[in-house]
Amino acid sequence: MSTKKDKFSFKDKFYMELALDLAKAREGLTGQNPSVGCVIVKKDEIISIGQTSFNGRPHAETNAIKNTTEDLKGSKMYVTLEPCSHHGVTPPCTSSIIKSKISEVIYSVIDVDKRVKDKTFKILETRNINVKKGVLKDKVNHFYLPYFFNRKNKLPYVSGKLAVAKNHIIFSKNKRKITNSRSDKFTHFLRYKNDSILISYKTLNKDNPKLNCRLKNMEKFSPKRIILDNKLRTNTNSYLFKTANKDNTIIFYNEADKSKILEFKKRKIEIIKSKIDTKKRFDLKVILKRLYKLGCRNILVEGGNELTKDFLNKKIFNLFYLFQSPKKLSKLTEFKEFNGFNIIKRNYKNKVKINSNLEKDTITLYKK
């Protein structure tokens, strides 16, 4: 029985692994562009590396070329995604590659962007640059699932997160804290990895959250705040309102007094009028399409019972993180219970415990 010989060497795979690690380090931080990693090798030595810049530009290939003063003639470039070949806000990476005299380009997966898709190979080969593609294809394809989803559907990639006590309580007036400090850090990591975070005004008014990333030295990567508030009932004394501006906060509403609209506009908050259904709920698909046009690519939803169930029922979550605490919270005062477990089981067949027995908290990731 014969097997097909792998056309990629151990070294090819090793350098592509490094490029993928570079891409992963910038995941969620590159704006509307995908996070790409790049490694340049000459005589089996790494002479430069590059990543997609924060907010998306310059691209990884351009950064890698600029990050070295070495003569690149005779070198190889390993890059996770097909280099761009079109003129956009910046010149195409293929132009930089050709100008640099790099001898060989090895990329993992073909870009799904129609302006780029499968065009780079021919452009580089006509300039006598050796080109190979497909190394670590499966692994890199998995990394780019959110990006491919963005491009294909013109929608953000949506993750949900909910914390519940042992008795399914998600809010208790006597004790609001549900999960432990380690679980909290994971929550802040999710905020760091998503460019936007979405809640309802009810959660805002009840919890007065900050919705920022509080990991050390990562505060500047806090996500944009998105609030669903059909009548602009957001508490104007809340932290989010007081720290809001046109760059960090978007509020969707349906109807409100002119005086209320003016009050929000004075804060320079971006408020967007959107339709609601007969149950007084926003059309989430319409909201997400608008957010995509506004540049949101990865959204974390930290909703309460109703908003989370709405996303679950409509099968919008690409990923759903369920934090479960061994603690029971009081039902003697005002409380809120989550009753959407059956929806999770029905809609999400794939699950994995990414943290179990973490100071007794359990975090389960559900995927489509």
Side-chain angles (χ1 to χ4, degrees), residues 66-90:
K66 288 181 178 179
N67 285 343
T68 183
T69 57
E70 294 241 13
D71 180 6
L72 296 181
K73 190 174 182 179
S75 66
K76 294 181 180 182
M77 172 182 279
Y78 292 84
V79 61
T80 52
L81 187 67
E82 179 181 6
C84 71
S85 54
H86 68 287
H87 283 270
V89 178
T90 56

Side-chain angles (χ1 to χ4, degrees), residues 205-229:
N205 290 346
K206 187 176 290 183
D207 297 341
N208 192 22
K210 292 184 177 180
L211 302 186
N212 56 359
C213 172
R214 295 194 284 278
L215 297 177
K216 189 176 181 181
N217 300 322
M218 300 297 179
E219 296 85 355
K220 66 180 179 180
F221 298 112
S222 293
K224 179 174 289 191
R225 297 93 60 95
I226 301 159
I227 303 156
L228 304 185
D229 183 3

